């Protein structure tokens, strides 16, 4: 019966089929929203209304919006190229906005509620500008790094952060402090701002070079894969962030170049239009009226300014001009300090674009980006270009950071919150395209600026006032949607369109006469004729020069208007009646120079004098300090005046002279065009310029030749020293045979063992013994001697199965000994606390190892770079928590086991589905999508009430869910009743002695035998001895159950994974990792295999999430922050060794132990009774040495600069360039720090001036170092992948 | 003679560049055909269109009578087509022998032999659905009157599962079927397969033996345990050829298979190919720039291309005598000449 229908269906084209599906989705969703009768509602009623109502409409809203996006996708994919398609694509943003509006409208109608969304159009534009320029500052740096150095730089936001802190440092400097400290005077001061921006650009740029040389150059030399560089940059990011946290603290700070920058009157007042959307139920009740236009108080009194009132129903939308006379408040103010950001960033990006397009440096950079080898062979110094690009990309981000610091209070992690949207932008704009990044940033900025008021407006009526937090994730959601439509971003689509257009246009010849006329008209100054003549590059140059001159002159005018330059008068000055100029406002005089008496400081501004001065000296000190302050203020103001004057005269010189000059050139070009002469009007000028420059270039070249020669001369003695050194080393080495060397090593180990602290000594002894026993057995088994036998068993060292196991077990023994050694803070009750600690370590280990397993399956084996493991972990934790929380606390009260099953299945389902939309994405894009998913989940957990359980009210997160086996553990299998007769809870059971539960049996050695109600049996107290007791003195902790569950499931899952990876499936996954196209050509359905791999990993991650939730007993959004989860798992993955599960165990173990050691250190820092106090004190001392150059316990009277100089010298001596570079970089960094950072910075950064290292950040620092060093010196991890090397089957088996 | 491959009016445009201009040709079963032409004349593009890597602009491709114009590469491969790439693309962080073992073997089975596995796996999926339904039912409906219903569903699910496993265990065709699973059929079931059927080790051993025998033929058994990233260019080519033979293809598309391979060995491989074609009746389409091989080593037919179009088709002798071909491509190689030994 259905046959014909199916036939008809299959006869439709793909586009028609998909359109039908999309429309069905759209209609179903909106019917569901409006009338509650969509498919989901039907399903809900079948299941007996178990689905929460909120979830139904939420899913339907998502369904509706996805339907809209699907329609756009069909337009892109299935409609043949034609003009309706182009128009459709151009209108698609409006269509999406329409769909969103319609969905919201239907949603509120369905809920019988209404919402008024008022959009201030100017305010949306200004915040679009602010946001997009903020993101752009990072995104442009990312793009440059991607383009030239070819990796995604996770540390880009940290460079931005460096810029922010540099601005702080400038404010704290002795030179600028008077300006920063001066009271408000209504006039902006510019010098601090300008110098800060410049300093941030240069210093961050230099930092970029240092980082590039120290870290990335080594990787480049080894031709490391971009993914590896990406992870290395993660390490750099962690290190930089940790340093800033350590040095400046986590407190929120702000950059104010001058007190006046934040005066509310200093702003542009822009008349605005407002758009009011009335969504949902629009019926007005009897007597209710709706007024068009502004509703601010007194407006209603003015005639003509307002539209008539309506009754009955409100209009859908209402656009009104808020700038009519009655409401001056309704203009939108755009503060000057906010405007600075877009101005500086957009103009510097334009400058960069010009640099790349028009200069020789730019051409070289593009050549290096295209093909470094080819560029090198055509005589370009690739390293120099790489350095320039590192400088520029870091510099621009740093500059952005410096100026961003003016707009918001910032802490070190502020920058990181901007990183992911910036990644979204570069993906959106096609990686590596700077125009794409400009457009992308505007789009993302707009999405964020628009979503913010909408979310605020709809949040309240929907009972989701936390939804304001969601505006931060809108860029990700938008990015994912765009990637579904255009898998290679906007830039690629634009390039394709441009190529097509050029090809079509190339066929027709432009008219020369029109071109000539255009050139002579004023439009010629904008290069219009060149665009008309298809000489776009020349046209661009002319336009840029003319417009640039105009913009520059506008900026300098603005600067002079808000400074003390002659006759200038700012907003404040115009408002005041008494004075006509800014200068008069401060000094009271109409003209002249600043004098000392104008200084705004009084005695109260001077800091307190040092203690112990007598009265006369005290007063003298104060007067001196004041006059010093006044003098430096005067200096500063005069410099400021000079600076502003120079800027203004430069601006005046450029405008209108430069555009006129351009126009003259254009006119010449026009004449040539009209005459039909095919010549370059500019040629004589350029030739003249070149002839002027030639001697300069020549002398530069000869200079560099001379320099090289001089260096060569200086190096000669050093070289002969190196030769001598290496010769003697060789002679020394060849003096021993192999056995003697092993002997020496053994002696060294013994010496070390006797010198080391007890733990390491013991650990080494145990390891050595094991090693000895192993060697003896091997020696006994074969006559070849132990080493020969070992080599035979594992011919490829740790890349052989046996070698890998041997190394794994050795490391594991070491780490287990470490756990045993790990001190605990408490002295009383030691055994119990230690048991708790060990269980805690093992549980955490199981959680992290499982996460690492999942990551390894996705990234190490299947080759999908997944930064979103935490998403699946979160799904697991949230599902388990929600399902097992009590019903009266918004939970579902499921048993734990089934909840785990559901969590694993749901997460696996998500994993499976993720494969489909991301199938066509490049590796980097996949990484960005997954990391975005993690962030979306985290923010949803903050804002979405459906994801809350376990508490009354609106506390965020999930808590009070069931913990597995907890009742059994503390209460045993019997039911125990309290005095009152009720059932004892598991926590109460723990307090009662004699229950005989597993916890008690394990923890206590003697348990009194009691009856059900805790009474003594037969009047006599009997004791039962348990033979397996750990004698902890109280019931064993619950964490022990988790540890057992964790370790057992860890082993099971490990076995499962190993079995799978050994099977043909593992082989297929590895072939997909290496080259998925070829795998597909050899008959494997790559997509499904990837989906299966994602699903399996996601399931494992979900189980890890469940375990994590149980360990934490309350799951908060903050646990999902990448720095606390994803990055740590990645560190474990890198350190342990990709594609080797044993490596995952080891890597996770190292990371987990690091965590625990630092917990002990934090405790030890405070009190001298606690373990590791001395270590903590030494770390503090080291830190103080780095900050102030004070004495170290083993290194007295040497500052860090001197130490690094020594290092560099040593490096020169033994000819290690890495050491030399490290030394000189250290010298540079510390020189800069000591120049910039004075006493004031210590007072501002450290409470009470006592310099202590915050151990949490020392840990982050070390994790970063671990990642970097591991990548650099042991790139494949401790336990690298063991390639499959099956031996040839014996003759009998193979026919 | 049936057609192994039929290309009709194949056209491929990249933006405005027309790489292949309405090309039509056929390849019979058991035929060994050379495809030659100057660089950039669209030979590799034709390969990419046939194997499903590129979607052609217009035209159709039939492999063993089936239109594959809209199929994915792996679906086309299952019809019996295997191809190599001009720039050798091996799985570089895997050993040589493992590279050889990835392609699924004996997958071009008749549909009948797949039937029991299909049945078993559909039963298994029924089990999975019923089991998950029962869980949903339990929590959606709650324990009350429907408790028994839940039990019934669960029991049914269990029963199906057991039957399915019996089916898998009991079938004598099992070993043939395992290979079918090892090809790309329902990857998640690899989990089950790997866990419950270590018995397929026999199949694995067999495949390993075959891999080693291929290596013997290519004279590189000593490289079996090296990573392919450690091989020289010529050795990589050899592994690529070996890998394409591992899947027992019916139709081979070889893109410059012996470029960079030492002369005598290349000749031997070429002759071996000829022998395989004669013995097993598979069809081969080969792109090769070494005219000695193409013109003198027993290729049945040659297709000459120029600028996206077919210049001529014919036997080696016809091609050698054609003036247009000599001008366009062959040059001196068209003249009689001794083969280097």
């Amino acid at each position: 019966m259905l046959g014909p229908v199916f036939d008809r269906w299959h006869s439709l084209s793909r586009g028609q089929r998909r359109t039908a599906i999309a429309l069905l989705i759209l209609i179903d969703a909106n019917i569901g929203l409006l009338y509650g009768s969509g498919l989901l509602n039907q399903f809900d009623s079948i299941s007996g209304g178990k689905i929460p109502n909120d979830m139904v409409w939420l899913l339907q809203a998502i369904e509706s919006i996805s339907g809209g996006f699907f329609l756009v996708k069909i337009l892109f994919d299935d409609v043949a190229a034609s003009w309706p398609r182009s128009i459709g694509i151009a209108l698609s943003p409006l269509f999406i906005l329409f769909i969103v509006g319609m969905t919201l409208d239907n949603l509120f109608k369905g809920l019988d509620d209404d919402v008024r969304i008022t959009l201030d159009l100017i305010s949306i534009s200004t915040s679009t500008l602010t946001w997009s320029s903020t993101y752009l500052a990072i995104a442009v740096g990312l793009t440059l790094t991607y383009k030239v150095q070819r990796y995604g730089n996770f540390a880009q936001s940290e460079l931005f952060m460096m810029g922010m802190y540099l601005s702080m440092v400038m404010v704290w400097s002795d030179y600028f402090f008077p300006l920063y400290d001066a009271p408000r005077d209504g006039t902006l001061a510019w010098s601090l701002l300008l110098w800060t921006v410049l300093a941030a650009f240069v210093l961050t740029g230099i930092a970029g070079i240092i980082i590039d040389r120290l870290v990335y150059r080594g990787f480049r030399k080894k031709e490391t894969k971009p993914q590896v560089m990406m992870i290395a940059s993660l390490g750099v990011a962690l290190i930089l962030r940790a340093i800033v946290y350590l040095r400046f603290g986590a407190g929120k700070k702000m950059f104010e170049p001058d007190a006046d920058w934040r005066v509310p009157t200093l702003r542009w007042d822009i008349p605005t239009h407002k758009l009011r959307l009335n969504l949902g139920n629009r019926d007005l009740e009897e007597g209710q009226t709706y007024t068009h236009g502004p509703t601010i108080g007194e407006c209603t009194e003015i005639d003509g300014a307002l539209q008539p009132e309506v009754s009955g129903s409100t209009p859908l939308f209402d656009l009104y001009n808020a700038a009519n006379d009655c409401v001056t408040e309704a203009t939108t103010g755009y503060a000057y300090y906010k405007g600075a950001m877009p101005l500086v960033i957009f103009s510097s990006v334009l400058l960069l674009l010009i640099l790349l397009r028009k200069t020789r440096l730019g051409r070289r950079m593009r050549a290096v980006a295209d093909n470094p080898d080819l560029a090198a062979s055509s005589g370009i110094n690739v390293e120099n270009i790489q350095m320039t690009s590192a400088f520029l990309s870091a510099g621009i981000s740093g500059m952005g950071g410096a100026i961003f610091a003016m707009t918001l209070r910032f802490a070190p992690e502020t920058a990181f919150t901007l990183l992911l949207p910036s990644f979204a932008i570069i993906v959106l704009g096609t990686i590596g395209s700077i125009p794409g990044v400009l457009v992308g940033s505007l789009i993302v900025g707009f999405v964020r600026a628009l979503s913010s008021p909408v979310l605020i407006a709809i949040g309240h009526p929907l009972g989701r006032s936390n939804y304001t937090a969601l505006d931060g994730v809108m860029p990700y959601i938008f990015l994912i949607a765009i990637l579904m439509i255009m898998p290679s971003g906007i830039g690629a689509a634009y390039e394709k369109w441009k190529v097509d257009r050029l090809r079509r246009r190339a066929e027709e010849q432009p008219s020369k006469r029109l071109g000539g006329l255009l050139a002579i008209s004023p439009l010629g100054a904008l290069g219009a004729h060149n665009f008309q003549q298809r000489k776009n590059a020349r046209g661009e140059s002319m336009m840029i020069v003319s417009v640039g001159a105009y913009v520059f002159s506008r900026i300098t005018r603005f600067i002079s208007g808000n400074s003390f330059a002659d006759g200038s008068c700012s907003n404040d000055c115009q408002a005041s009646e008494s004075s006509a100029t800014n200068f008069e406002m401060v000094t009271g005089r109409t003209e002249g120079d600043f004098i000392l008496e104008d200084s705004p400081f009084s005695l109260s501004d001077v800091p307190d004098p040092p203690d112990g001065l007598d009265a006369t000296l005290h007063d003298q000190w104060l007067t001196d300090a004041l006059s010093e302050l006044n003098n430096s203020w005067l200096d500063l103001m005069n410099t400021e005046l000079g600076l502003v004057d120079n800027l203004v005269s430069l601006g005046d010189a450029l405008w209108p002279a430069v555009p006129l000059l351009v126009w003259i050139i254009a006119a010449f070009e026009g004449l040539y065009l009209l005459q039909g002469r095919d010549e370059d009007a500019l040629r004589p000028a350029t030739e003249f310029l070149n002839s002027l420059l030639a001697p300069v270039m020549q002398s530069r070249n000869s200079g560099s030749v001379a320099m090289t020669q001089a260096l060569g001369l200086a190096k000669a003695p050093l070289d002969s020293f190196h030769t001598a050194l290496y010769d003697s080393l060789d002679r020394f080495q060849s003096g021993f045979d192999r056995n003697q060397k092993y002997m020496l090593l053994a002696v060294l180990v013994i010496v070390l063992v006797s010198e080391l602290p007890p733990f390491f000594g013991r650990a080494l002894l145990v390891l050595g013994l094991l090693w000895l026993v192993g060697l003896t057995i091997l020696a006994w088994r074969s006559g070849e001697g132990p080493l020969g036998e070992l080599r035979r068993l594992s011919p490829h060292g740790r890349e052989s199965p046996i070698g890998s196991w041997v190394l794994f077990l050795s490391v594991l023994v070491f780490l287990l000994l470490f756990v045993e050694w790990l001190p605990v803070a408490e002295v009383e009750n030691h055994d119990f606390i230690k048991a708790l600690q060990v269980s805690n370590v093992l549980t955490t280990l199981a959680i992290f190892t499982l996460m690492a397993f999942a990551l390894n399956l996705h990234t190490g084996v299947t080759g999908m770079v997944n930064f979103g493991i935490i998403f699946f972990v979160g799904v697991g934790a949230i599902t388990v928590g929600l399902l097992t929380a009590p019903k009266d606390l918004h939970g579902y009260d499921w048993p734990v086991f089934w909840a785990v099953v559901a969590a694993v299945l749901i997460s696996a389902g998500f994993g499976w589905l993720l494969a489909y939309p991301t199938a066509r994405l490049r590796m980097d894009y996949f990484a960005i999508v997954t990391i975005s998913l993690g962030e979306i989940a985290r923010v949803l957990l903050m804002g979405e009430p459906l994801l809350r359980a376990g508490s009354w009210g609106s506390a965020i997160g999930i808590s009070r869910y069931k913990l597995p086996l907890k009742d059994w553990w503390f209460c045993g299998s019997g039911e125990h009743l309290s005095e009152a007769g009720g059932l004892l809870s598991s926590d109460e059971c723990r307090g009662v002695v004699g229950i005989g539960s597993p916890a008690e049996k394990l923890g206590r050695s003697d348990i009194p035998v009691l009856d059900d109600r805790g009474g003594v049996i037969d009047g006599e107290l009997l004791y039962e001895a348990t033979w397996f007791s750990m004698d902890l003195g109280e019931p064993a902790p619950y964490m022990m159950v988790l540890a057992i569950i964790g370790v057992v499931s860890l082993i099971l899952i490990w076995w499962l994974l190993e079995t799978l990876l050994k099977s043909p499936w593992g082989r297929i996954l590895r072939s997909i990792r290496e080259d998925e196209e070829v795998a597909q050509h050899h008959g494997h359905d790559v997509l499904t295999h990837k989906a299966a791999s994602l699903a399996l990993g996601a399931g494992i991650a979900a189980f890890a999430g469940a375990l994590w939730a149980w360990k934490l007993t309350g799951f908060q959004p903050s646990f999902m922050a990448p720095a606390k989860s994803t990055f740590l798992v990645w560190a474990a993955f890198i350190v342990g060794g990709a594609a080797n599960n044993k490596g995952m165990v080891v890597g996770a173990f190292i990371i987990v132990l690091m965590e625990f050691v630092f917990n002990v250190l934090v405790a030890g820092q405070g009190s001298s009774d606690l373990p590791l106090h001395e270590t903590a004190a030494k770390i503090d001392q080291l830190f103080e040495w780095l900050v102030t150059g004070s004495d170290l316990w083993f290194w007295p009277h040497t500052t860090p600069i001197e130490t690094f100089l020594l290092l560099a010298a040593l490096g020169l001596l033994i000819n290690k360039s890495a050491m030399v570079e490290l030394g000189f970089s250290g010298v540079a960094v510390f020189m800069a720090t000591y120049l910039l950072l004075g006493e004031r910075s210590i007072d501002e950064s450290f409470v009470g001036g006592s310099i202590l290292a915050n151990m949490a950040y020392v840990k982050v620092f070390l994790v970063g170092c671990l990642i970097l060093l591991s990548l650099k010196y042991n790139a494949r991890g401790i336990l690298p992948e063991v390639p499959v090397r099956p031996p040839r089957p014996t003759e009998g088996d193979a026919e | 003679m049936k057609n192994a491959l039929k290309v009709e009016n194949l056209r491929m445009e990249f933006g405005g560049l027309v790489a292949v201009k309405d090309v039509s040709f056929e390849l019979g079963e058991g035929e060994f055909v050379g495809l030659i032409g100057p660089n950039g004349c669209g030979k590799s593009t034709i390969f990419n269109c046939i194997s499903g890597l590129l979607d052609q602009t217009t035209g159709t491709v039939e492999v063993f009578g089936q239109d594959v114009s809209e199929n994915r590469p792996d679906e086309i491969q299952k019809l019996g087509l295997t191809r190599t790439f001009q720039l050798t693309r091996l799985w570089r962080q895997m050993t040589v022998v493992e590279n050889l073992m990835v392609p699924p073997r004996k997958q071009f089975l008749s549909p009948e032999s797949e039937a029991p596995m299909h049945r078993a796996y559909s039963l298994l999926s029924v089990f999975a659905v019923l089991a998950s339904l029962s869980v949903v039912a339990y929590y959606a409906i709650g324990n009350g009157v429907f408790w028994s219903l839940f039990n019934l569903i669960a029991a049914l699910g269990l029963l199906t599962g057991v039957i399915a496993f019996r089916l898998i265990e009991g079938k004598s065709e099992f070993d043939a079927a395992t290979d079918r699973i090892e090809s790309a059929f329902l990857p998640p079931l690899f989990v089950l397969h790997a866990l419950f059927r270590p018995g397929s080790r026999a199949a694995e051993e067999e495949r390993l033996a075959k891999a080693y025998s291929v290596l013997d033929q290519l004279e590189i058994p000593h490289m079996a345990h090296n990573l392919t990233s450690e091989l020289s260019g010529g050795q990589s080519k050899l592994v690529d050829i070996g890998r394409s033979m591992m899947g027992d293809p019916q139709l081979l598309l070889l893109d410059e298979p012996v470029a960079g391979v030492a002369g005598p060995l290349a000749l031997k491989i070429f002759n071996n190919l000829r022998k395989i074609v004669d013995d097993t009746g598979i069809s081969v389409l080969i792109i090769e720039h070494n005219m000695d091989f193409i013109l003198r080593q027993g290729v049945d037919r040659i297709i000459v291309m120029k600028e996206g179009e077919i210049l001529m088709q014919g036997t080696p002798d016809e091609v050698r005598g054609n003036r247009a071909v000599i001008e366009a491509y062959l040059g001196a190689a068209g003249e009689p000449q001794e083969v280097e030994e």
Side-chain angles (χ1 to χ4, degrees), chain A residues 503 1067 1070 1075 1077 1284 1286, chain B residues 16 89 95 98 204 212 225:
Chain A
R503 190 171 286 130
R1067 202 153 61 209
R1070 284 191 293 274
D1075 190 332
E1077 249 173 27
V1284 182
Chain B
R89 291 165 73 174
T95 54
E98 205 187 6
E204 189 81 349
Y212 272 104
H225 286 179

Side-chain angles (χ1 to χ4, degrees), chain A residues 131 134-135 138 157 160 404 414-423:
Chain A
W131 279 117
T134 307
Y135 291 141
I138 297 176
S157 61
F160 188 85
F404 173 81
T414 311
F416 180 71
T417 60
L418 302 171
L419 178 69
L420 293 180
S422 309
F423 263 116

Side-chain angles (χ1 to χ4, degrees), chain A residues 192-243:
Chain A
L192 177 52
L193 178 69
L194 292 176
W195 285 117
T196 301
V197 169
L198 200 67
F201 179 70
V202 175
L203 290 179
T204 327
I206 292 173
I209 292 183
I210 291 180
I211 295 168
D212 184 64
R213 286 191 81 88
L214 286 186
V215 181
Y216 302 118
R217 198 173 62 152
F219 291 120
R220 268 203 301 276
K221 272 189 189 159
K222 282 194 264 176
E223 303 195 345
T224 319
K225 281 191 210 156
Q227 296 97 297
V228 177
M229 310 263 277
M230 195 152 143
I231 312 301
S233 75
L234 184 64
V236 172
L238 292 179
I239 291 174
L240 288 180
R241 202 175 325 150
I243 290 176

Side-chain angles (χ1 to χ4, degrees), chain A residues 825-842:
Chain A
E826 246 101 334
V827 186
E828 296 165 30
N829 210 358
H830 174 273
D831 285 354
F832 179 78
I833 301 292
K834 183 70 195 174
L836 188 64
Q837 186 196 41
V838 172
S839 317
N840 202 342
V841 169
L842 290 180

